[in-house]
Amino acid sequence: MASPCKNSRRPFTVCIEGNIGSGKTTFLNNFKQFNNTMVLQEPVELWRNVKGMNLLDLMYKDPTKYACLFQSYVQLTMLQLHTMKSPLPYKVMERSVYSARCFIESMKRMNVLEDVEVTVLEEWHKWSITHAVIETDLIVYLRTTPDIVYKRMRARARKEEKLVSLEYLEQIHQIHEEWLYHKTLFNVPAPIIILDADQSMEEMFVQFEKCKTRIFESCGQSERESRRLTSPVSSPKFGAASD
Ligand code: TTP
């Protein structure tokens, strides 16, 4: 794999991972203040409007019919983010094709997907990670407890997530833990920084500052080189209404 640091032809790529409501978007948005980083938010809006159809909503309302289609579209849109070119030395993404697989695993465990649907999605996943240019240099795992993310999710009240139960978040948590904490489930494609993301937004901002320094230093760019833009980003928010 080509070196992702100075003089490299590709950016040092960081994926922000964690349960639903763990604060990925907020964490990611903090990077928008730097002029050396391409920030790629998860394409939830695309999932909500596929030629006028809200696929996220359909998936929650009728998973047996729509889960496979939805996960197929998630994989496509995540691949589009991975392969997006950037002249900047850093790229920070919300989630990845790797964590999309956590949801496939969850649907498999809940018997929402038929065996043949799992096979097709997993074949797609395998092909993507083998053939597409999706190099990842670092994973930041925002580790949370399900009770806390459940409260945050209820507070932000995304209308499609009305049907999401605490049990579902426990399962998604468990799968992330098996993948990134215990490292027993899937391949972990890069080194991991694990952060306690149960904390308040102020405490998370402090964690962000430390993490950001590690990221920029790991690629040989000093703080000075990763200049902040003149207009600062707004203060981080958890549980803000997303729609
Ligand atoms: P998340 O990707 O967890 O995004 P979020 O907005 O909850 O993140 P955060 O609060 O940490 O900023 O989930 C978005 C929605 O999409 C959520 O309802 C779960 C769903 N989803 C799937 O069903 N399958 C998938 O593969 C992915 C990536 C998300």
Side-chain angles (χ1 to χ4, degrees):
M1 191 193 297
S3 161
C5 295
K6 272 187 175 172
N7 306 322
S8 166
R9 278 177 298 155
R10 70 172 183 85
F12 184 90
T13 302
V14 183
C15 296
I16 313 296
E17 306 286 5
N19 205 346
I20 299 170
S22 56
K24 296 180 292 299
T25 307
T26 306
F27 196 84
L28 192 89
N29 282 342
N30 288 321
F31 283 96
K32 287 187 178 166
Q33 62 190 305
F34 301 106
N35 62 4
N36 63 352
T37 306
M38 178 160 85
V39 175
L40 294 177
Q41 237 159 337
E42 188 176 53
V44 181
E45 288 317 311
L46 291 180
W47 310 341
R48 288 170 136 175
N49 184 2
V50 186
K51 297 224 161 142
M53 301 280 279
N54 186 336
L55 207 47
L56 180 65
D57 198 43
L58 289 169
M59 182 274 297
Y60 277 126
K61 284 190 175 140
D62 191 352
T64 315
K65 184 165 175 191
Y66 288 105
C68 181
L69 183 64
F70 177 73
Q71 288 307 137
S72 165
Y73 194 53
V74 168
Q75 291 206 124
L76 170 67
T77 56
M78 294 310 309
L79 266 178
Q80 287 168 337
L81 294 193
H82 278 288
T83 54
M84 200 173 278
K85 296 220 172 359
S86 169
L88 299 175
Y90 295 93
K91 175 167 159 180
V92 184
M93 293 177 49
E94 182 169 1
R95 289 205 179 278
S96 60
V97 283
Y98 301 105
S99 57
R101 194 170 176 201
C102 292
F103 288 85
I104 298 172
E105 177 67 21
S106 163
M107 290 166 181
K108 183 172 153 183
R109 292 183 189 185
M110 292 188 305
N111 287 321
V112 164
L113 295 172
E114 288 186 31
D115 289 349
V116 67
E117 293 176 317
V118 173
T119 304
V120 170
L121 289 170
E122 289 187 342
E123 286 289 311
W124 253 118
H125 176 81
K126 207 157 81 187
W127 187 92
S128 306
I129 61 170
T130 316
H131 294 96
V133 182
I134 55 169
E135 285 112 331
T136 304
D137 300 295
L138 185 72
I139 292 175
V140 177
Y141 174 31
L142 302 184
R143 191 167 185 238
T144 49
T145 47
D147 279 351
I148 290 190
V149 290
Y150 183 70
K151 285 189 192 118
R152 286 183 193 157
M153 187 193 68
R154 303 302 289 188
R156 83 175 166 201
R158 192 182 268 158
K159 68 177 188 324
E160 295 87 349
E161 291 171 348
K162 271 202 296 253
L163 298 171
V164 177
S165 63
L166 176 59
E167 291 69 34
Y168 184 69
L169 295 184
E170 281 168 348
Q171 167 140 288
I172 299 293
H173 169 73
Q174 179 59 31
I175 293 170
H176 276 79
E177 288 284 281
E178 289 172 31
W179 174 40
L180 293 177
Y181 191 76
H182 303 295
K183 300 185 183 171
T184 50
L185 187 59
F186 317 127
N187 175 43
V188 179
I192 312 178
I193 294 177
I194 299 179
L195 300 180
D196 173 4
D198 279 346
Q199 302 185 14
S200 70
M201 49 187 173
E202 289 77 15
E203 287 163 330
M204 282 311 294
F205 191 69
V206 174
Q207 294 212 56
F208 161 76
E209 286 287 328
K210 287 188 196 149
C211 185
K212 173 252 330 177
T213 303
R214 273 181 71 180
I215 291 171
F216 289 159
E217 280 176 355
S218 69
C219 204
Q221 280 231 328
S222 67
E223 280 295 289
R224 198 162 39 78
E225 285 171 294
S226 54
R227 269 199 303 279
R228 286 172 201 267
L229 297 170
T230 40
S231 48
V233 285
S234 51
S235 55
K237 287 194 180 88
F238 275 131
S242 62
D243 41 6

